[in-house]
Amino acid sequence: EGRLESGEESLKLIANTILPFSRDAVVISVDAGSITKEGFRKLKKRMQGNPGDIPVFIEVQTPDGSAILSVAPELWVSHAGKTAIEN
């Protein structure tokens, strides 16, 4: 959990909770400048089609750095889903 703070010249992601990564976790990297709403919808559909107990994280990359966001547990994936999403 966290919040986003934006100023005139900066954007900050403030974390309230930091979670450890599981060895089985899926980390999906996306470029903030090229990902579309449709791209996120497709990704969500793939996760929903493979429900399970493996945590999913999205790494959003920007020219100024990156942030890793935790996906809600209802979108965590199975081992088969992990393979499908990583490929």
Side-chain angles (χ1 to χ4, degrees):
E1 290 185 22
R3 66 183 187 283
L4 193 61
E5 291 183 0
S6 61
E8 289 183 32
E9 296 184 24
S10 67
L11 186 62
K12 295 179 183 177
L13 180 63
I14 309 299
N16 294 333
T17 305
I18 298 175
L19 303 171
F21 273 21
S22 163
R23 286 184 150 190
D24 287 334
V26 177
V27 180
I28 302 164
S29 295
V30 298
D31 183 326
S34 63
I35 188 76
T36 63
K37 285 183 182 180
E38 184 59 28
F40 275 119
R41 282 188 194 110
K42 287 180 181 179
L43 181 58
K44 182 178 178 182
K45 255 188 171 174
R46 287 172 73 185
M47 289 185 285
Q48 288 174 324
N50 295 283
D53 59 356
I54 298 175
V56 178
F57 297 89
I58 298 177
E59 179 182 20
V60 181
Q61 300 172 345
T62 72
D64 296 325
S66 64
I68 298 178
L69 310 173
S70 176
V71 172
E74 55 267 16
L75 292 175
W76 289 3
V77 297
S78 64
H79 285 284
K82 177 181 177 183
T83 302
I85 289 172
E86 290 178 332
N87 294 326

